[in-house]
Amino acid sequence: MNEHRHRHQPQHPLPADELPDHVTQDAVVVVPGIMGSTLRDTATGRHLWGIGGVSWLLKAWTTPSGLKSLAVTEDELAGKTGRIEATGLLKHSAWTPYLAGSEPYTDLVDTIRTSVADDAAILEFPYDWRLPVAANGRLLADAARLHLTAWRRHPAHARARRHRTDQREGRLVFVAHSMGGLVTRAALDPGYDSDLQADTRGVITLGTPFQGSVKAAVILATGRGAPVPLPHRKLRAICATMPGLHDLLPQYRSLRAGDDVRHLTPGDVAAIGGSAELARDAARFHHGQRNITLPGHRSVVGVNQPTWQSLTISGGTVEAHLDGARQNSDGTFIRDRHDRVRYFRVHGDGTVYKESAVLTDVVTHLPLQHGDVAKAQTALEAVTEIVRDDINPGPPQGEAGCGLSAPDLVEAGRPWKLRLTDVDTLSGLTCHLTDLEAPARPTPLTLAWEDGTATATATAPAPGLYRIDVRTPDGFDITQLVMSAGPGEPVGEAEA
């Protein structure tokens, strides 16, 4: 039995008159992002992703055969799936080149648990993120329908309804991180389940790239040009024929071409090492999704982090840029006094630039990195408010916190630098490096001004997975995961 169909029943459910005032009668579905579900081989039972500690991650990314099984096969591209199955949500910190890190969803689920009448109201929906978003969306639609039906029959549902001021029947609330928001939108396609939108009270997306991400193109082009570390080459090999990765390619006008900016074409994607057919399928899919409504949609969007927004392609090599073109209300590009396209740094969460993650004007902006937008306390507070349907998440907070820029892969014993942007003073600003094998002993890092930027020099003493934690004077925490490899494997530049 798949874990997303499993229900945990509390031994002593509270009677209605003892339920807290904030408890909802709704059913909640948690949908993780790319790399956020654990995977295993159905034939051998061998775990392929997300199970194991730091030593497993190091071996997976730094040995030639590690993660080879994750590559999509011809049969899988033809729709013959089942070789690999998703078994659960990520429960350990995991590292991925370019994406830096995926944090576990344990805190998110535990936070939601405080707002529901019974654990049975929560469905954790893992999925095979290698496959097309459309296919996973249909699986989610089926699972959500079964979950809501089962929840409405559960005794705790009736108790929660009696407890609420509005004693309506329970509905669905989707809490979706990153790619999970795309999967949720696909699930709510009325062409598949015409009643699912009406049975949904709200959708909360956390850093979802509705318009795609330039990082997807960079991943596909890795290794074409300058040498790159083995983990980055391995990720490209896995993703080259992965429909899920192609579904994350930028769908907005992101490719700089002379004094113009245009959409990526299937030919462009093929030229950088991807699949023209999968790129074409992804573009068609996104076009068909544009008119799907997300009921009660609210976005939690990471901001203030340096984020790639546009790219140029030369000889099959991709160069990513931290700024992008913006359009006037009539669709034309904003230009300078010399009639040249102007480029603006909008920032984002380090992976998804801000405007790609927004569908409506109901947005909570938080200064967070992509991997942490489903785990940071500020994000969890916003999720809680929405699940409980108590208050609006509040005004945008885009000027808070700071930006964090650091390498994703470093060499053990070799110093490297991290930089903080949008920082006016070092007073009250703290920074630590924590070995996740010994999280109780974080190492403080000394911040200093270097060329007008707050900078710290750090060293990971041994191979492993480390977390950078920055605490800003206004009370925000910005984090990033860094992998430290052993000597001998080139890791590129030591500076971010």
Side-chain angles (χ1 to χ4, degrees), residues 245-287:
L245 192 279
H246 286 74
D247 283 336
L248 299 180
L249 286 167
Q251 300 300 314
Y252 59 95
R253 293 165 70 176
S254 60
L255 179 60
R256 301 187 186 189
D259 192 36
D260 191 18
V261 184
R262 62 175 178 82
H263 289 93
L264 276 174
T265 67
D268 295 325
V269 175
I272 65 176
S275 165
E277 182 179 357
L278 293 180
R280 191 174 294 111
D281 291 344
R284 289 175 182 149
F285 166 72
H286 279 279
H287 182 77

Side-chain angles (χ1 to χ4, degrees), residues 72-383:
V72 179
T73 66
E74 289 296 327
D75 280 349
E76 288 172 324
L77 287 174
K80 300 175 183 177
T81 59
R83 179 180 69 92
I84 291 175
E85 69 173 351
T87 58
L89 271 58
L90 200 65
K91 291 181 171 58
H92 304 278
S93 297
W95 179 86
T96 305
Y98 291 117
L99 303 178
S102 302
E103 294 286 9
Y105 292 96
T106 309
D107 289 352
L108 177 61
V109 174
D110 286 346
T111 296
I112 294 170
R113 190 170 283 123
T114 66
S115 300
V116 296
D118 190 282
D119 283 5
I122 303 174
L123 170 66
E124 300 178 25
F125 181 79
Y127 59 93
D128 186 349
W129 33 265
R130 304 171 311 124
L131 303 180
V133 166
N136 284 315
R138 291 200 167 196
L139 294 175
L140 175 57
D142 291 340
R145 171 60 63 200
L146 291 173
H147 177 54
L148 181 60
T149 300
W151 171 240
R152 285 174 171 176
R153 294 171 179 169
H154 196 285
H157 171 252
R159 289 197 302 272
R161 288 182 68 185
R162 292 194 298 269
H163 170 72
R164 297 289 285 181
T165 302
D166 180 356
Q167 297 183 343
R168 60 170 175 80
E169 193 171 35
R171 298 163 72 192
L172 289 165
V173 176
F174 291 89
V175 181
H177 177 227
S178 188
M179 178 191 274
L182 302 180
V183 175
T184 299
R185 184 169 64 172
L188 290 168
D189 186 341
Y192 185 65
D193 183 335
S194 59
D195 295 325
L196 199 59
Q197 284 191 357
D199 285 330
T200 298
R201 194 254 294 172
V203 176
I204 309 161
T205 56
L206 310 167
T208 291
F210 289 107
Q211 299 300 322
S213 170
V214 167
K215 272 194 177 180
V218 173
I219 289 170
L220 289 176
T222 294
R224 303 173 71 88
V228 293
L230 176 61
H232 298 69
R233 298 198 305 271
K234 287 169 63 66
L235 179 63
R236 185 230 171 262
I238 294 169
C239 293
T241 58
M242 185 186 293
L245 192 279
H246 286 74
D247 283 336
L248 299 180
L249 286 167
Q251 300 300 314
Y252 59 95
R253 293 165 70 176
S254 60
L255 179 60
R256 301 187 186 189
D259 192 36
D260 191 18
V261 184
R262 62 175 178 82
H263 289 93
L264 276 174
T265 67
D268 295 325
V269 175
I272 65 176
S275 165
E277 182 179 357
L278 293 180
R280 191 174 294 111
D281 291 344
R284 289 175 182 149
F285 166 72
H286 279 279
H287 182 77
Q289 297 280 291
R290 291 179 180 177
N291 295 323
I292 296 177
T293 300
L294 297 182
H297 181 218
R298 295 176 180 177
S299 304
V300 177
V301 177
V303 294
N304 286 8
Q305 311 307 311
T307 306
W308 291 331
Q309 296 171 224
S310 63
L311 67 154
T312 52
I313 297 177
S314 177
T317 300
V318 168
E319 180 183 359
H321 306 284
L322 292 172
D323 52 11
R326 305 193 75 174
Q327 294 172 285
N328 296 298
S329 58
D330 62 1
T332 60
F333 285 120
I334 297 175
R335 294 179 175 270
D336 63 19
R337 60 190 181 91
H338 302 292
D339 200 34
R340 294 175 300 201
V341 174
R342 290 182 61 191
Y343 292 94
F344 301 82
R345 287 199 176 194
V346 176
H347 294 312
D349 63 17
T351 294
V352 182
Y353 102 100
K354 182 174 68 174
E355 293 182 356
S356 179
V358 173
L359 279 185
T360 68
D361 57 359
V362 186
V363 182
T364 297
H365 293 131
L366 295 172
L368 299 172
Q369 292 268 342
H370 186 73
D372 203 33
V373 77
K375 183 178 183 295
Q377 185 59 40
T378 49
L380 297 182
E381 290 169 359
V383 169

